[in-house]
Amino acid sequence: MSDDHGHGHGHGHEAADTALARIEALSKEKVHHAGDHEGPFSLHVLGLGATGAEVVSAISGIAPPGFTALAVDIGAGSLSGVAAGDPAVRTVELPIPSRPDLSSALNRYREFLKMEYPRYYWNPNYEPWLPGDLEIPGSSAEMPRAIAKAIYGAEYYQNREITTAMDEFAEGVLTSEQTPLVVVAFSMAEAVGSGIVVEIARHLSSIKLGRRPWVIGMGVLPQQPEATFFPVINELDCMIDTEKNNGVMAVWGDLYKNPFTGGFFAVPDDGTHSPVDAIASFSTAGGGKDLYETLKALNWLAVPGDQWHPAIRGEQSDRWINLLATRPPTEAGDLSGLGLIAGFATEYAEARVFGTGPAAAAAAAAVAGAIPGVAATRVEPVVESVETPGDGVVSVVLPRASKLDLGLFVPSRDLYDPLEWEAHLLMHSWLLDLGVMLCEPSIRFDGMGGECIWGCACWVVVPHAAIRGESVASPISDEDVAAVASSGVGVPASG
């Protein structure tokens, strides 16, 4: 009898022993702690939508040296007062265009994409993804993700203020004299933030930063199941899970490679503890040092077993979600409201207690006792104590959850399923300009995901069952990938 990888018992035990040794290296040897040669760090925040703007404002008041930020939203006046007077913060309010102006920009989208990567496939079936009679909501009305994407794309590709602001933001990151950490903050419950993050993150990370600095996604989870959350989490899943992302790039090229080079944190919103404060306090702790050490730990867990250096960037699996929560020291023993399903298990968990004196010691003991109630771990939860003045805070990171570990996923799918096709379309964003509605089944390739909204052969090499979170009958075969070459769609790699 052999294990799942075809090895005998001896090899299986050896692999298990190696995996345990790697986890224990985090908890006992502290291999992820920053050495004297690492740091200092500079923090750079791209805040998207209302929640992202709140994060920028919160960090502005407590930011370490070298901090810069760009807040982006849609609608006149939406960013008034954000980090007012802070010269390190720039805001860009994307204007709501007239319907003719937006239609004109969308009609030129193939030109825009061709300029972005010359080997872009010029699809003769292209049409704007927004219905021609669709009314654009005003600044105070709810805006679907598909429209938010269109507005951002029209501004960015026509070299308007957002394009210049992105260039300046990226220049600040690349010229930092410190080690830069780039945080992209948004809410997965907000159409604007979640609708533009899938574009702006790849423009920033893959094009303007050349994938050099660590870019970290921090997305606030909805408080309750929502139909829109189903495409939001699936677009992120197909970005960040390496196997699924490879299936997207097989058709559309490597500009669609996972932009979150440092990983992704999901921040629960239980209605009691502020997710904005959680992101702000966690990102700025120790001048960015604690965030950096957490990133090293997460990448250490994700790198191949024969590559032990903690600075290697790991490839994410379908367990790419890292839950981040903070609590005041007096509530360190209460980790309710994280939104994980019962029975969640992971390799490792770490809490950091910032504070001093008996209150910090009591908080450390309380959070150590609380973690096993929400997550089973292979080694004892690690609690780091960091001496800081003031009231203090406790941060908890539970790594390597999948979308199916989120209690929101299945109920959101159930809310999504009965809606009409156009409602589904407006809830999507990421690949609509390529003709792909990710969460619907492919028209041309049985069992694959990504319906072509123009009725042609656009698709992704990702099983539709995997997108839905259902069991996959068989893995993706070489024949599936080879079918790309004969489909006449997409590019094998970007230029």
Side-chain angles (χ1 to χ4, degrees), residues 269-361:
D269 183 359
D270 62 3
T272 302
H273 304 95
S274 168
V276 169
D277 290 345
I279 295 173
S281 61
F282 180 68
S283 301
T284 57
K289 175 175 174 286
D290 292 272
L291 171 58
Y292 176 76
E293 291 183 345
T294 301
L295 297 178
K296 284 180 66 177
L298 298 177
N299 277 268
W300 174 266
L301 290 172
V303 296
D306 59 348
Q307 299 177 20
W308 279 59
H309 195 283
I312 294 173
R313 293 185 183 180
E315 290 193 340
Q316 305 297 327
S317 69
D318 61 345
R319 297 171 59 196
W320 53 270
I321 300 169
N322 305 296
L323 264 289
L324 165 66
T326 60
R327 295 287 187 269
T330 54
E331 298 178 34
D334 180 10
L335 294 182
S336 59
L338 298 189
L340 290 164
I341 62 170
F344 170 68
T346 188
E347 297 94 335
Y348 171 87
E350 183 174 278
R352 297 200 171 207
V353 178
F354 301 91
T356 188

Side-chain angles (χ1 to χ4, degrees), residues 16 27 61 65 90 146 197 245 318 422 457 475 484:
S27 60
R90 179 169 180 174
V197 69
N245 188 236
D318 61 345
E422 185 171 298
V484 174

Side-chain angles (χ1 to χ4, degrees), residues 127-347:
E127 294 177 8
W129 61 90
L130 297 180
D133 58 352
L134 185 68
E135 184 177 341
I136 301 174
S139 58
S140 61
E142 183 178 354
M143 180 169 294
R145 298 180 72 229
I147 296 181
K149 171 198 177 75
I151 292 173
Y152 166 77
E155 292 291 303
Y156 174 83
Y157 287 119
Q158 294 184 102
N159 296 314
R160 293 178 178 163
E161 183 184 4
I162 185 59
T163 317
T164 304
M166 288 275 287
D167 288 338
E168 292 178 357
F169 180 74
E171 183 180 4
V173 174
L174 294 174
T175 59
S176 174
E177 296 180 356
Q178 302 163 316
T179 301
L181 301 172
V182 183
V183 168
V184 181
F186 66 102
S187 170
M188 291 186 251
E190 293 173 6
V192 171
S194 71
I196 69 176
V197 69
V198 293
E199 299 297 334
I200 204 169
R202 75 179 183 87
H203 289 153
L204 176 66
S205 183
S206 294
I207 298 174
K208 300 190 181 300
L209 296 180
R211 305 188 64 81
R212 293 188 292 278
W214 258 341
V215 175
I216 306 107
M218 293 196 181
V220 176
L221 291 165
Q223 289 189 4
Q224 58 192 11
E226 298 176 358
T228 306
F229 181 67
F230 184 62
V232 169
I233 196 68
N234 275 310
E235 289 178 1
L236 293 169
D237 191 37
C238 288
M239 278 184 172
I240 304 173
D241 174 1
T242 300
E243 182 175 341
K244 295 188 185 79
N245 188 236
N246 285 340
V248 174
M249 291 192 296
V251 186
W252 301 111
D254 59 11
L255 278 182
Y256 292 87
K257 188 175 180 67
N258 171 24
F260 300 110
T261 54
F264 192 95
F265 295 88
V267 187
D269 183 359
D270 62 3
T272 302
H273 304 95
S274 168
V276 169
D277 290 345
I279 295 173
S281 61
F282 180 68
S283 301
T284 57
K289 175 175 174 286
D290 292 272
L291 171 58
Y292 176 76
E293 291 183 345
T294 301
L295 297 178
K296 284 180 66 177
L298 298 177
N299 277 268
W300 174 266
L301 290 172
V303 296
D306 59 348
Q307 299 177 20
W308 279 59
H309 195 283
I312 294 173
R313 293 185 183 180
E315 290 193 340
Q316 305 297 327
S317 69
D318 61 345
R319 297 171 59 196
W320 53 270
I321 300 169
N322 305 296
L323 264 289
L324 165 66
T326 60
R327 295 287 187 269
T330 54
E331 298 178 34
D334 180 10
L335 294 182
S336 59
L338 298 189
L340 290 164
I341 62 170
F344 170 68
T346 188
E347 297 94 335

